[in-house]
Every structure is written in C-alpha cells, then in structure tokens.
Amino acid sequence: MADVIPAQAPGHSNGASGLTDQETVALIELMFFAYRDFVSDPDEILAQFGFGRAHHRVLHFVGRDPGMTVQQLLDILRITKQSLGRVLKELIDKGYVYQKEGESDRRQRLLHLTAAGDALRQRLMGPQMERIRRAAALSGGGAAQACRRTLYNMVSPANRAAVRDWIERASVLGDEAGKRG
Amino acid sequence: MADVIPAQAPGHSNGASGLTDQETVALIELMFFAYRDFVSDPDEILAQFGFGRAHHRVLHFVGRDPGMTVQQLLDILRITKQSLGRVLKELIDKGYVYQKEGESDRRQRLLHLTAAGDALRQRLMGPQMERIRRAAALSGGGAAQACRRTLYNMVSPANRAAVRDWIERASVLGDEAGKRG
DNA sequence: GTAAATATGTCAACATGGCTGACGTAATTC
DNA sequence: GAATTACGTCAGCCATGTTGACATATTTAC
C-alpha cells in the first residue's frame, strides 16, 4: 500500500482508474482550489448579513426540501445538534427560517424558509450557479455531466444511497415545486 | 444575465453550459457532499496526531513544492500569516517541517518537510488518492479527466493562472523529484 | 397504561482555525 | 541612509465545530 506511489514511472496510468499519479494529485488539489473559490462568492454575501457558511448550508438544504425534519438536516450536514442549534436559532430569530409542528408526528419541528429566507437562499445560489454554468460552458456540457458522476463516486460508498436519494428527489420536486411529495 | 434562471422550464438545458437547473444544483450539492467525504479520511488520521485540516494543507503543499517561501504558501492557502504561523509553528516544533534560510534572499525561510513530515503527508494522501482512483474507475478515466477540467474552470478566472502554474509545475517536477527546478 | 425510545432544545465548557491590529527584526532595494 | 520586504509574534476576537448532561413532549412497545 505504501509503495503504490514510488513504484511507478511518472506519466504512467494506474490500474482501473486510468489516471496517472500526477493526474490523481491534480484532482486532489483541484478539489481544494475549486472548493476554495466555490464558496467565496456566498461568503461575501453572507458577511453582509452577519451570517457564515453554516447558515448558508441550512438555508440551502431547507429551501431545497421544505418541511424536512431537524434530524434529516443533521444527517446531511454531519454536525451535532448543538452546532446546528446555534445557527438555526439565529436564522429563526432573524426571520429566515420557521418551524412547523409535524402533523403525523407532533414531536417534529419541520423546517421551512420564510420569504426572506428563500430570497437570501436564491441570492446565495446565484453566483454558484453562474460559476458552475461558466465552468460547464468552458469544459463542455458533457464534461460537466462527467464531473457530476465523478463527484458522486467520490462520496463514500456508505453515503452514496443517501446522496443519490437526495439529488434524485430534488431532481423530481426541484426548486420550482418547492413542496414535498 | 439576471433572467437566465427564472425563464426556464424544468428539465430544459440552459445556454452554452448545456446544463439544466437541476443538474446545476446537483453539481453545487455534490461539491458539498464530495468535499465532505473527501476530507473525512485525512481528518481521522490527523486527529491521532493532534493535528487538524490546517496542518494537512501545509504538509501537503510544502511537500509538493519543497523550498517554497512562506509567502507562496500564504498565497495558496489564502489565510493570514498569523493563522498560518500558528499551525506552522506546531509543525516545526513537532518535527514535521523545517525552514532553511534562502540563499539568494536571506530573509526568506524556505519550507521543507522532514522525513516524518513526508511520511505523514504520504499517509494522509493515501486514502485521498484511493478515493479519487475509485471514483475514476467507477466513472471512467475520461470522466475523471473531464472532472479535472471542470473543477479547474470552477476556479475564479483571476486565480486560474496561479492554479494552472501550480498544477503544471507539479506535473513536471512531481512528487518523485521532490526538488525545485 | 406504563415504560422505553425518539425528536428536539438547551446549558456549559472547550478546541480549532479563521480574523484584525500592532509591533519587531533582519535583509534587501532604491 | 531610508524605505520596503519577508517573516515572526503577541493579544484578542469570532465562527463553528466538539463533548457531556439534562429537560420536555410525544410516540412506540410491551
């Protein structure tokens, strides 16, 4: 395992992946560089509202699946309920998110965005969609689709089903629907 | 520009990008999910050493370009020298990084990894390379190459030259060389 | 119908890793 | 010789993650 890297001539493709070591490392580094810039636009907007990335994530995912439970959000974010509690409280206090008692299960506090919350979410998403579209236009639409598959396969196998479910549900209901099935 | 998004039927491809809104949002979310899992393996290893992601970044980039200056590292990480100073000091104190006075400019403290630093870097990189290779094998090598281009084009235009230079220099010198030209 | 499990909220304390501002030293450049 | 540059450091603040403990309401299981 430890000798995978050294025992290979530079420029040589490796196993089933068809990637050289250099290409693999390039992808590792591009994950850093792309992510670094990917979050920079929302960060600037958020700063104007006194919010951070944690608030953005909540706004995004709640807006994507209105009526989701707190536990579902925790499962996506992979943070503790205490960490979520802090930002969620702020978003509720400032009128961007509200909670509705579950009908079938009255312990649940189903999460929804207010009009202001949805507006902010759209505003945050705008530059990111532009960025993705720009990248897709430069690389070709097929490349973007390939990137989508590759990023999906970078997700840990144990988490893929959940991610696939999330993306697919979103693809059906979408933003336009704004409601759950 | 502002009306690109709303005036579009769901499932309809959009402009030059060739991506529907759903596909674009899927890519946004996959950046989150893939990155979340992408850093999870190193995080576990780092915890055993009492280090965090910030240490990982320093180890990685210094190991990638031994002899780089502090300022070059700051330009890559996009953090303040005070933030870097903290983790750099720890890495030096614990014997993973050392500094060498610049020959042509003796103000510079050129950064290098010790043997222990390089070993840790390799250990942290291992799971990430495996993850990338696994994803490439599942998606196809061509998809991974397309992903590479797309991620590159997600980088802000102003930063692309620096990123390209970095990746290309790395591709020439590579890890194997371990030295600067 | 009571007991256990679940969904959520909250308090307190702590760690990491960003940030700003200020200041110091050595070396280089003008 | 003065200004700039490369780097280090001290002090304090903020955002956001963590653990552990505990409370409350509701649902589920026996």
Side-chain angles (χ1 to χ4, degrees):
Chain A
M1 209 54 118
D3 62 345
V4 167
I5 297 159
Q8 184 197 35
H12 228 91
S13 97
N14 185 301
S17 73
L19 293 183
T20 65
D21 280 350
Q22 278 86 7
E23 288 166 342
T24 308
V25 174
L27 263 166
I28 289 178
E29 291 174 346
L30 282 169
M31 283 294 285
F32 169 77
F33 290 120
Y35 194 84
R36 182 194 67 180
D37 287 7
F38 180 68
V39 296
S40 64
D41 301 310
D43 276 358
E44 281 183 35
I45 299 168
L46 288 159
Q48 299 168 16
F49 287 78
F51 290 146
R53 282 183 205 173
H55 303 86
H56 184 187
R57 291 179 194 131
V58 171
L59 284 172
H60 177 84
F61 287 112
V62 170
R64 192 77 163 114
D65 188 13
M68 76 192 306
T69 67
V70 171
Q71 190 53 53
Q72 286 175 326
L73 184 53
L74 287 173
D75 288 341
I76 286 172
L77 298 177
R78 297 288 177 93
I79 58 176
T80 59
K81 66 175 172 175
Q82 294 91 328
S83 293
L84 173 59
R86 200 160 27 197
V87 296
L88 192 53
K89 194 173 188 306
E90 286 181 274
L91 286 167
I92 291 170
D93 288 349
K94 294 190 180 174
Y96 295 90
V97 172
Y98 68 94
Q99 295 180 304
K100 232 163 86 179
E101 194 174 72
E103 291 181 17
S104 60
D105 186 339
R106 285 164 49 216
R107 291 171 303 180
Q108 297 176 331
R109 298 294 125 89
L110 307 183
L111 299 167
H112 299 265
L113 297 189
T114 64
D118 198 62
L120 179 50
R121 173 173 181 269
Q122 296 294 338
R123 185 167 161 198
L124 292 164
M125 195 161 52
Q128 292 195 313
M129 292 193 71
E130 259 194 68
R131 184 180 291 269
I132 299 281
R133 288 215 174 91
R134 192 177 354 113
L138 287 169
S139 313
Q145 299 292 351
C147 187
R148 198 180 146 182
R149 287 202 307 280
T150 305
L151 287 175
Y152 171 73
N153 285 317
M154 274 192 221
V155 172
S156 298
N159 300 332
R160 277 187 207 144
V163 169
R164 162 157 287 183
D165 283 353
W166 173 268
I167 301 273
E168 277 180 357
R169 175 182 49 203
S171 296
V172 173
L173 295 177
D175 291 308
E176 289 81 359
K179 294 175 177 62
R180 318 189 72 193
Chain B
M1 211 51 124
D3 60 346
V4 169
I5 297 160
Q8 185 199 36
H12 229 88
S13 98
N14 185 299
S17 73
L19 294 182
T20 64
D21 280 351
Q22 278 85 8
E23 289 165 342
T24 308
V25 174
L27 263 166
I28 289 177
E29 291 173 347
L30 282 169
M31 283 294 286
F32 169 78
F33 289 120
Y35 194 85
R36 182 194 68 180
D37 287 7
F38 179 68
V39 295
S40 64
D41 301 310
D43 276 358
E44 282 184 33
I45 299 168
L46 288 159
Q48 299 167 16
F49 288 77
F51 290 145
R53 281 182 206 175
H55 303 86
H56 184 188
R57 291 179 193 130
V58 172
L59 284 172
H60 177 85
F61 287 112
V62 170
R64 192 78 163 114
D65 188 12
M68 74 191 309
T69 67
V70 171
Q71 190 53 53
Q72 285 174 327
L73 185 52
L74 287 173
D75 288 342
I76 286 172
L77 298 177
R78 298 288 177 90
I79 58 176
T80 59
K81 66 174 172 175
Q82 293 91 329
S83 293
L84 173 59
R86 201 158 30 194
V87 296
L88 191 53
K89 195 173 188 306
E90 287 182 275
L91 287 168
I92 291 170
D93 289 348
K94 294 191 181 175
Y96 295 91
V97 171
Y98 69 94
Q99 295 180 303
K100 233 162 85 178
E101 195 174 71
E103 291 180 17
S104 60
D105 187 338
R106 285 166 49 218
R107 290 172 303 179
Q108 297 176 333
R109 299 293 126 88
L110 307 182
L111 299 167
H112 299 266
L113 297 190
T114 64
D118 197 62
L120 179 51
R121 174 174 181 268
Q122 296 294 337
R123 185 167 162 199
L124 291 165
M125 194 160 53
Q128 292 195 315
M129 292 193 71
E130 259 194 69
R131 184 181 291 271
I132 299 281
R133 288 214 175 93
R134 194 180 348 116
L138 288 169
S139 313
Q145 298 293 352
C147 187
R148 199 180 146 183
R149 288 201 308 281
T150 306
L151 287 175
Y152 171 73
N153 286 317
M154 275 192 218
V155 172
S156 298
N159 301 333
R160 277 187 209 145
V163 168
R164 162 158 286 185
D165 283 352
W166 174 267
I167 301 272
E168 275 179 0
R169 176 182 50 205
S171 295
V172 173
L173 295 177
D175 290 309
E176 289 80 1
K179 295 175 178 62
R180 319 190 72 194

